Amino acid sequence: MQSLISLTLVFLFSIACSSTQAARIWTSAKGGYKIDAEAIAFNDQTVVLKRKSGKLVAVEVNELSDADRDYLKSKDLSATLNASIEKMQTWTSKSGVKIRGRVLAFGRKDYELTRQRGTLSVNGKLFSRFDPLHQQLLLKVLSALESKTFTTEPELNAWVKETLAGTSKSYTLEGVLMELESGDQIPVPFFLFADEDLRVLEPGWEAWSKANDDETTRERESLMMQAEAREYQQQRESEGYQRQQIEMLKLQMLAARTGLTSIWEVGLDPPPGVYGRRTSVMVTARNSQLASEMVQRQYPGYRIFGIRKAN
């Protein structure tokens, strides 16, 4: 039974690692240094490389060899990275609210809150016309800034009417630009994120903030933040998947111990024309016939050469 658990953990780890791009040797233009890593993000100026240790490094594109620059232009790499970049992410606020979106860049943005003719506006746009999630984020941001609790538009409207009395109030937000599933792009301030997420998003902010008009530096820091955010999200998904599979395995083993089901080892031969060695898989089922049917659905074309109940 212990060997079954070990094999399952190895299998789950291999799944978690199989989604990454194959690493390659990157070489400087003059051949002075080499690095074994995979590209996980790049723009016209910078490529973010992930070492085998998991550490991310940023390298200027013009410092790479011609072969490396040609590789960055390849369609396969662009397609793979674009699919990863466009994937939505889940972030958590300090209050536990989940935010679905993907971070795009560092940013600093002014928000102007006004009330004219009884209607509430933010930067000249009616509050009621914002996406519902955008509205909730605005309410939470303003609640934090004003040390109040605004849960609905009428509550905020009443406070603005009483406090601003026809004037406007501006706020400067520092954080990340995020694209929601609706397509809206909104700035989310750092203070809204849970501490765990903040440790991933905030490290490059100081360098970005000090860069002022140096757009190359700002783009590099934003690119690094994007890459670190995606790696963080992928790692969480992999860990969540592994935990789910391990818990499922525990339930299956418990069912086997109580006699509700059994664990079967099914031997498989690869289909004709496919190179491979004989293998076997473990499944839980009430009897050998059901176990065989389950394996045949999972491995179409393979031939079962034997089945036995495992201890």
Side-chain angles (χ1 to χ4, degrees):
M1 192 68 71
Q2 184 64 38
S3 62
L4 175 60
I5 295 175
S6 300
L7 286 171
T8 303
L9 292 176
V10 171
F11 172 69
L12 293 175
F13 181 77
S14 67
I15 290 177
C17 295
S18 63
S19 61
T20 60
Q21 286 290 302
R24 68 194 303 273
I25 303 298
W26 299 79
T27 308
S28 64
K30 296 181 180 179
Y33 69 86
K34 296 182 178 181
I35 177 175
D36 187 358
E38 59 177 298
I40 61 172
F42 69 93
N43 57 24
D44 292 340
Q45 291 83 32
T46 309
V47 57
V48 179
L49 301 177
K50 179 182 177 182
R51 295 177 180 269
K52 289 184 176 181
S53 64
K55 183 178 181 180
L56 304 186
V57 295
V59 178
E60 297 303 309
V61 173
N62 59 13
E63 294 181 358
L64 294 171
S65 66
D66 292 341
D68 289 337
R69 290 199 293 268
D70 289 340
Y71 176 70
L72 290 175
K73 298 175 184 177
S74 65
K75 293 182 179 179
D76 289 343
L77 177 63
S78 297
T80 300
L81 291 183
N82 286 338
S84 175
I85 290 170
E86 293 171 1
K87 187 176 181 181
M88 286 291 114
Q89 304 161 346
T90 301
W91 301 93
T92 307
S93 71
K94 288 186 181 296
S95 61
V97 174
K98 301 296 183 182
I99 306 170
R100 285 288 290 169
R102 58 189 183 95
V103 293
L104 303 176
F106 286 120
R108 181 184 289 115
K109 184 177 178 63
D110 291 332
Y111 265 88
E112 185 179 24
L113 188 63
T114 60
R115 183 177 184 275
Q116 296 179 344
R117 298 178 182 179
T119 58
L120 186 65
S121 297
V122 178
N123 286 353
K125 180 177 179 178
L126 293 179
F127 186 92
S128 58
R129 293 186 178 177
F130 284 96
D131 174 87
L133 178 56
H134 198 163
Q135 292 179 0
Q136 290 301 312
L137 287 173
L138 286 171
L139 289 170
K140 290 189 175 299
V141 167
L142 292 169
S143 295
L145 291 172
E146 294 293 345
S147 299
K148 302 282 185 181
T149 302
F150 305 120
T151 58
T152 64
E153 179 184 356
E155 290 177 353
L156 178 60
N157 200 358
W159 177 82
V160 171
K161 179 181 179 181
E162 177 182 355
T163 306
L164 301 185
T167 62
S168 62
K169 187 171 184 179
S170 296
Y171 307 87
T172 299
L173 302 184
E174 296 179 341
V176 297
L177 180 66
M178 181 176 291
E179 182 178 31
L180 305 179
E181 290 182 303
S182 64
D184 287 351
Q185 294 185 2
I186 63 172
V188 183
F190 289 125
F191 64 73
L192 202 64
F193 288 99
D195 291 343
E196 183 179 2
D197 290 353
L198 195 59
R199 284 193 290 269
V200 177
L201 297 173
E202 198 175 29
W205 167 255
E206 184 176 358
W208 184 93
S209 182
K210 290 180 178 178
N212 294 322
D213 296 330
D214 186 351
E215 288 303 319
T216 299
T217 299
R218 287 196 161 190
E219 288 180 5
R220 183 185 65 240
E221 294 300 333
S222 290
L223 186 68
M224 279 291 290
M225 184 267 294
Q226 289 177 33
E228 290 168 343
R230 291 201 301 275
E231 287 295 306
Y232 168 68
Q233 293 282 333
Q234 289 173 6
Q235 182 180 5
R236 288 206 312 182
E237 289 178 5
S238 297
E239 290 173 351
Y241 175 78
Q242 292 177 46
R243 284 195 298 269
Q244 181 184 32
Q245 295 299 307
I246 291 171
E247 291 303 317
M248 187 178 299
L249 175 64
K250 289 179 181 177
L251 290 175
Q252 291 172 347
M253 294 169 66
L254 178 61
R257 290 196 194 100
T258 58
L260 297 175
T261 185
S262 298
I263 299 175
W264 301 88
E265 182 180 9
V266 183
L268 295 172
D269 276 329
V274 176
Y275 172 76
R277 297 184 179 89
R278 279 189 167 188
T279 186
S280 63
V281 295
M282 298 287 192
V283 295
T284 55
R286 289 195 300 273
N287 54 55
S288 60
Q289 181 179 349
L290 290 175
S292 299
E293 293 174 356
M294 291 171 59
V295 171
Q296 286 177 329
R297 286 196 298 269
Q298 295 173 7
Y299 297 87
Y302 278 71
R303 184 182 67 83
I304 295 177
F305 67 80
I307 182 170
R308 69 181 182 88
K309 185 183 291 188
N311 293 324

